[in-house]
Amino acid sequence: MATGQEVKQEVALEGVVTGGIDLESSGKLSQAVVVEPIPDQKRASTGQESEATDDEEWESESLYEDALDGAVDEDSLGHPYETCTLEEAIAYRNRLRLVGDDQFIIETIEAKTITAKKLCTAFNIRLPAFLDGAPDVAYYRLLGLGITRELQKRVKLPQYNTIDDAVSLLKRSKNIIVLTGAGISTSLGIPDFRSKNTGFYSQLEHLGYSDPQEVFDIENFREDPSKFYSVAKDILPSTNRYSPTHAFIRLLQEKDKLLTNFTQNIDNLEGHAGIRPEKLIQCHGSFATASCLECKYKVKCEEIYKEIKAGQVALCGRCIRRLQPDRASGMKRKRSANGKSHSRQRRKGDHEDSTDDDDYDIAAAGVMKPDITFFGESLPSGFHERLCDHDRFLVDLVIVIGTSLKVAPVSEVVGFLPSHVPQMFISRDPCLHVDFDIEMLGDCDVVVAELCRRAGWELKHEMIPPTQEIDVQLCAGYVSRFTFKAKIA
């Protein structure tokens, strides 16, 4: 029988787990688990080649990351042979924190009281299909990652549990961070990205995309922007209306309680709702403006709406003008010896990039890209500066609304902020990889309306029925998770 130390060594051989990086020195919010490849000695002992291609290593790491990101559906917890029950999962997590990873492994894997495969489900790990039929040792690497992630998680504050606690926190807090996702806009008919069957990614799968996120990969956009433009009309904001949840955030601002609204949304509805620019960080950019990939010329996005709605690639108007023959001579513009163009200078528009028209030569018109943050692009510098250098020292309450917290680095914000600051979660579905102090599940608009009613605040919005009544229920097996449902008259 393997000893606890041997089990830990096996986990280490299968994939060394290391911590994150210094957030302050790097300016990045990344505490993701790093999975290193199998040591060369182990590969050599199995007779395999000691060198693997970068693609192979990336694929291996990506598969494990997908398993960690895709938490077990709680409805599936309870199968007696494959998954832990909810009660078992909670007990295992508590035991891990109580005795530490060494003793925990001795009591479980070494003692053979549970398989590594089943124990993975206690840490909200979706068992990957590529491990089906594999021996239990094949799950050690995944289990090691799950244990490390669990030990790195913020611990729930035990003094905050009830809806009354949530209301009290709202009323007394003065520097609230609100972190929002697509769920605050779905009541307006704008789809979120990740919901099954209805989310935007699900729609892309139906169109034949094997990995819907590829549409929003910056390298893919540079190579073939037509893929993005073929579907962009489906996420283009079609309204200036805002939801009751947007109104709730504005109400916090009016009460001088809003520190910052970090939004992952690209619909720019926060601005329409009246959230002041100095209180708003658009983590993933927005459709407010668009920029040329070639000359960096910036315009209001409305100027390329025609192309977006038609599914056509929008080209830079300034690039096109510079490539056209000179109206007077019938010849293309040429630069003089001192680098200045002989053509008459135009007045720069309000959104035009500061680069001098006549100091830049191009061979072809550049593609206009809406100023949303694609995968592979850095987040706006204001995100890191605001969070790391300002907000984390002032925040006294965190409210996460309408997001599954799946996309880094925004998903790491709640773990980065001081652990003693209360955190509340409002969304349709639970977020299983974060231990929030109070979870309120249901339509975001319904939840915030009820919180305001209990706080004695007037939340004005045309979408809130004046006689609306909300049914609030504590979820079975939990002390701080509630469901909110509007009663049907």
Side-chain angles (χ1 to χ4, degrees), residues 209 220-221 223-232 311-313 367:
Y209 289 95
N220 290 342
F221 182 86
E223 181 178 336
D224 184 7
S226 66
K227 291 181 179 179
F228 168 80
Y229 272 98
S230 68
V231 299
Q312 300 174 349
V313 176
V367 173

PDB file of all heavy atoms in Angstrom, residues 209 220-221 223-232 311-313 367:
ATOM      1  N   TYR A 209     -19.205  26.064 -34.822  1.00  0.00           N
ATOM      2  CA  TYR A 209     -17.902  26.400 -34.245  1.00  0.00           C
ATOM      3  C   TYR A 209     -17.549  25.380 -33.173  1.00  0.00           C
ATOM      4  O   TYR A 209     -18.290  25.183 -32.213  1.00  0.00           O
ATOM      5  CB  TYR A 209     -17.926  27.803 -33.646  1.00  0.00           C
ATOM      6  CG  TYR A 209     -17.994  28.902 -34.669  1.00  0.00           C
ATOM      7  CD1 TYR A 209     -19.205  29.461 -35.047  1.00  0.00           C
ATOM      8  CD2 TYR A 209     -16.837  29.387 -35.277  1.00  0.00           C
ATOM      9  CE1 TYR A 209     -19.278  30.469 -36.000  1.00  0.00           C
ATOM     10  CE2 TYR A 209     -16.895  30.404 -36.225  1.00  0.00           C
ATOM     11  CZ  TYR A 209     -18.119  30.933 -36.576  1.00  0.00           C
ATOM     12  OH  TYR A 209     -18.184  31.929 -37.513  1.00  0.00           O
ATOM     13  N   ASN A 220      -6.984  35.115 -34.210  1.00  0.00           N
ATOM     14  CA  ASN A 220      -7.937  34.677 -35.233  1.00  0.00           C
ATOM     15  C   ASN A 220      -8.585  35.878 -35.917  1.00  0.00           C
ATOM     16  O   ASN A 220      -8.849  35.852 -37.125  1.00  0.00           O
ATOM     17  CB  ASN A 220      -9.023  33.801 -34.603  1.00  0.00           C
ATOM     18  CG  ASN A 220      -8.504  32.462 -34.158  1.00  0.00           C
ATOM     19  OD1 ASN A 220      -7.435  32.021 -34.599  1.00  0.00           O
ATOM     20  ND2 ASN A 220      -9.226  31.794 -33.269  1.00  0.00           N
ATOM     21  N   PHE A 221      -8.841  36.934 -35.142  1.00  0.00           N
ATOM     22  CA  PHE A 221      -9.436  38.135 -35.736  1.00  0.00           C
ATOM     23  C   PHE A 221      -8.476  38.760 -36.737  1.00  0.00           C
ATOM     24  O   PHE A 221      -8.892  39.182 -37.826  1.00  0.00           O
ATOM     25  CB  PHE A 221      -9.792  39.142 -34.646  1.00  0.00           C
ATOM     26  CG  PHE A 221     -10.463  40.386 -35.162  1.00  0.00           C
ATOM     27  CD1 PHE A 221     -11.827  40.418 -35.339  1.00  0.00           C
ATOM     28  CD2 PHE A 221      -9.719  41.521 -35.471  1.00  0.00           C
ATOM     29  CE1 PHE A 221     -12.456  41.565 -35.825  1.00  0.00           C
ATOM     30  CE2 PHE A 221     -10.326  42.668 -35.949  1.00  0.00           C
ATOM     31  CZ  PHE A 221     -11.697  42.689 -36.126  1.00  0.00           C
ATOM     32  N   GLU A 223      -6.209  37.280 -38.420  1.00  0.00           N
ATOM     33  CA  GLU A 223      -6.056  36.393 -39.576  1.00  0.00           C
ATOM     34  C   GLU A 223      -7.290  36.397 -40.456  1.00  0.00           C
ATOM     35  O   GLU A 223      -7.198  36.404 -41.682  1.00  0.00           O
ATOM     36  CB  GLU A 223      -5.763  34.974 -39.082  1.00  0.00           C
ATOM     37  CG  GLU A 223      -5.553  33.967 -40.200  1.00  0.00           C
ATOM     38  CD  GLU A 223      -5.225  32.591 -39.670  1.00  0.00           C
ATOM     39  OE1 GLU A 223      -4.724  32.494 -38.529  1.00  0.00           O
ATOM     40  OE2 GLU A 223      -5.462  31.604 -40.394  1.00  0.00           O
ATOM     41  N   ASP A 224      -8.475  36.370 -39.804  1.00  0.00           N
ATOM     42  CA  ASP A 224      -9.715  36.328 -40.574  1.00  0.00           C
ATOM     43  C   ASP A 224     -10.828  37.023 -39.793  1.00  0.00           C
ATOM     44  O   ASP A 224     -11.589  36.383 -39.057  1.00  0.00           O
ATOM     45  CB  ASP A 224     -10.117  34.883 -40.872  1.00  0.00           C
ATOM     46  CG  ASP A 224     -11.363  34.784 -41.751  1.00  0.00           C
ATOM     47  OD1 ASP A 224     -11.835  35.833 -42.232  1.00  0.00           O
ATOM     48  OD2 ASP A 224     -11.869  33.667 -41.946  1.00  0.00           O
ATOM     49  N   PRO A 225     -10.944  38.342 -39.931  1.00  0.00           N
ATOM     50  CA  PRO A 225     -11.961  39.084 -39.177  1.00  0.00           C
ATOM     51  C   PRO A 225     -13.391  38.760 -39.593  1.00  0.00           C
ATOM     52  O   PRO A 225     -14.333  39.098 -38.872  1.00  0.00           O
ATOM     53  CB  PRO A 225     -11.625  40.549 -39.471  1.00  0.00           C
ATOM     54  CG  PRO A 225     -10.893  40.523 -40.779  1.00  0.00           C
ATOM     55  CD  PRO A 225     -10.119  39.237 -40.770  1.00  0.00           C
ATOM     56  N   SER A 226     -13.559  38.108 -40.719  1.00  0.00           N
ATOM     57  CA  SER A 226     -14.919  37.816 -41.190  1.00  0.00           C
ATOM     58  C   SER A 226     -15.662  36.888 -40.239  1.00  0.00           C
ATOM     59  O   SER A 226     -16.895  36.934 -40.160  1.00  0.00           O
ATOM     60  CB  SER A 226     -14.877  37.203 -42.589  1.00  0.00           C
ATOM     61  OG  SER A 226     -14.245  35.928 -42.570  1.00  0.00           O
ATOM     62  N   LYS A 227     -14.941  36.025 -39.504  1.00  0.00           N
ATOM     63  CA  LYS A 227     -15.606  35.121 -38.556  1.00  0.00           C
ATOM     64  C   LYS A 227     -16.303  35.921 -37.468  1.00  0.00           C
ATOM     65  O   LYS A 227     -17.439  35.626 -37.102  1.00  0.00           O
ATOM     66  CB  LYS A 227     -14.585  34.155 -37.952  1.00  0.00           C
ATOM     67  CG  LYS A 227     -14.023  33.138 -38.929  1.00  0.00           C
ATOM     68  CD  LYS A 227     -13.047  32.200 -38.236  1.00  0.00           C
ATOM     69  CE  LYS A 227     -12.512  31.162 -39.204  1.00  0.00           C
ATOM     70  NZ  LYS A 227     -11.539  30.236 -38.546  1.00  0.00           N
ATOM     71  N   PHE A 228     -15.598  36.913 -36.944  1.00  0.00           N
ATOM     72  CA  PHE A 228     -16.210  37.753 -35.914  1.00  0.00           C
ATOM     73  C   PHE A 228     -17.358  38.564 -36.493  1.00  0.00           C
ATOM     74  O   PHE A 228     -18.448  38.624 -35.905  1.00  0.00           O
ATOM     75  CB  PHE A 228     -15.155  38.695 -35.317  1.00  0.00           C
ATOM     76  CG  PHE A 228     -15.740  39.776 -34.456  1.00  0.00           C
ATOM     77  CD1 PHE A 228     -16.119  39.512 -33.146  1.00  0.00           C
ATOM     78  CD2 PHE A 228     -15.926  41.063 -34.955  1.00  0.00           C
ATOM     79  CE1 PHE A 228     -16.672  40.516 -32.350  1.00  0.00           C
ATOM     80  CE2 PHE A 228     -16.466  42.062 -34.165  1.00  0.00           C
ATOM     81  CZ  PHE A 228     -16.847  41.785 -32.864  1.00  0.00           C
ATOM     82  N   TYR A 229     -17.149  39.174 -37.647  1.00  0.00           N
ATOM     83  CA  TYR A 229     -18.184  40.036 -38.223  1.00  0.00           C
ATOM     84  C   TYR A 229     -19.425  39.255 -38.652  1.00  0.00           C
ATOM     85  O   TYR A 229     -20.517  39.820 -38.741  1.00  0.00           O
ATOM     86  CB  TYR A 229     -17.615  40.827 -39.397  1.00  0.00           C
ATOM     87  CG  TYR A 229     -16.977  42.129 -38.971  1.00  0.00           C
ATOM     88  CD1 TYR A 229     -15.600  42.228 -38.798  1.00  0.00           C
ATOM     89  CD2 TYR A 229     -17.744  43.253 -38.710  1.00  0.00           C
ATOM     90  CE1 TYR A 229     -15.009  43.414 -38.385  1.00  0.00           C
ATOM     91  CE2 TYR A 229     -17.173  44.448 -38.300  1.00  0.00           C
ATOM     92  CZ  TYR A 229     -15.809  44.525 -38.140  1.00  0.00           C
ATOM     93  OH  TYR A 229     -15.236  45.701 -37.726  1.00  0.00           O
ATOM     94  N   SER A 230     -19.271  37.956 -38.873  1.00  0.00           N
ATOM     95  CA  SER A 230     -20.431  37.152 -39.270  1.00  0.00           C
ATOM     96  C   SER A 230     -21.405  36.945 -38.120  1.00  0.00           C
ATOM     97  O   SER A 230     -22.582  36.644 -38.340  1.00  0.00           O
ATOM     98  CB  SER A 230     -19.973  35.793 -39.808  1.00  0.00           C
ATOM     99  OG  SER A 230     -19.401  34.998 -38.775  1.00  0.00           O
ATOM    100  N   VAL A 231     -20.933  37.118 -36.887  1.00  0.00           N
ATOM    101  CA  VAL A 231     -21.805  36.896 -35.727  1.00  0.00           C
ATOM    102  C   VAL A 231     -21.920  38.131 -34.834  1.00  0.00           C
ATOM    103  O   VAL A 231     -22.704  38.141 -33.884  1.00  0.00           O
ATOM    104  CB  VAL A 231     -21.284  35.712 -34.873  1.00  0.00           C
ATOM    105  CG1 VAL A 231     -21.267  34.437 -35.694  1.00  0.00           C
ATOM    106  CG2 VAL A 231     -19.893  36.003 -34.321  1.00  0.00           C
ATOM    107  N   ALA A 232     -21.149  39.180 -35.120  1.00  0.00           N
ATOM    108  CA  ALA A 232     -21.101  40.349 -34.229  1.00  0.00           C
ATOM    109  C   ALA A 232     -22.458  41.016 -34.070  1.00  0.00           C
ATOM    110  O   ALA A 232     -22.755  41.584 -33.013  1.00  0.00           O
ATOM    111  CB  ALA A 232     -20.082  41.358 -34.746  1.00  0.00           C
ATOM    112  N   GLY A 311     -23.087  41.964 -41.434  1.00  0.00           N
ATOM    113  CA  GLY A 311     -22.144  40.847 -41.366  1.00  0.00           C
ATOM    114  C   GLY A 311     -20.918  41.047 -42.232  1.00  0.00           C
ATOM    115  O   GLY A 311     -20.251  40.076 -42.604  1.00  0.00           O
ATOM    116  N   GLN A 312     -20.597  42.294 -42.556  1.00  0.00           N
ATOM    117  CA  GLN A 312     -19.463  42.605 -43.419  1.00  0.00           C
ATOM    118  C   GLN A 312     -18.309  43.183 -42.602  1.00  0.00           C
ATOM    119  O   GLN A 312     -18.524  43.884 -41.617  1.00  0.00           O
ATOM    120  CB  GLN A 312     -19.878  43.620 -44.492  1.00  0.00           C
ATOM    121  CG  GLN A 312     -20.992  43.137 -45.399  1.00  0.00           C
ATOM    122  CD  GLN A 312     -21.477  44.225 -46.344  1.00  0.00           C
ATOM    123  OE1 GLN A 312     -21.122  45.401 -46.185  1.00  0.00           O
ATOM    124  NE2 GLN A 312     -22.301  43.854 -47.306  1.00  0.00           N
ATOM    125  N   VAL A 313     -17.090  42.886 -43.028  1.00  0.00           N
ATOM    126  CA  VAL A 313     -15.910  43.408 -42.361  1.00  0.00           C
ATOM    127  C   VAL A 313     -15.823  44.904 -42.591  1.00  0.00           C
ATOM    128  O   VAL A 313     -15.844  45.370 -43.735  1.00  0.00           O
ATOM    129  CB  VAL A 313     -14.631  42.710 -42.868  1.00  0.00           C
ATOM    130  CG1 VAL A 313     -13.390  43.336 -42.224  1.00  0.00           C
ATOM    131  CG2 VAL A 313     -14.685  41.212 -42.580  1.00  0.00           C
ATOM    132  N   VAL A 367      -8.446  46.976 -40.873  1.00  0.00           N
ATOM    133  CA  VAL A 367      -9.741  46.483 -40.406  1.00  0.00           C
ATOM    134  C   VAL A 367     -10.112  47.206 -39.113  1.00  0.00           C
ATOM    135  O   VAL A 367      -9.280  47.397 -38.224  1.00  0.00           O
ATOM    136  CB  VAL A 367      -9.686  44.964 -40.161  1.00  0.00           C
ATOM    137  CG1 VAL A 367     -10.974  44.468 -39.505  1.00  0.00           C
ATOM    138  CG2 VAL A 367      -9.439  44.226 -41.467  1.00  0.00           C
TER     139      VAL A 367
END
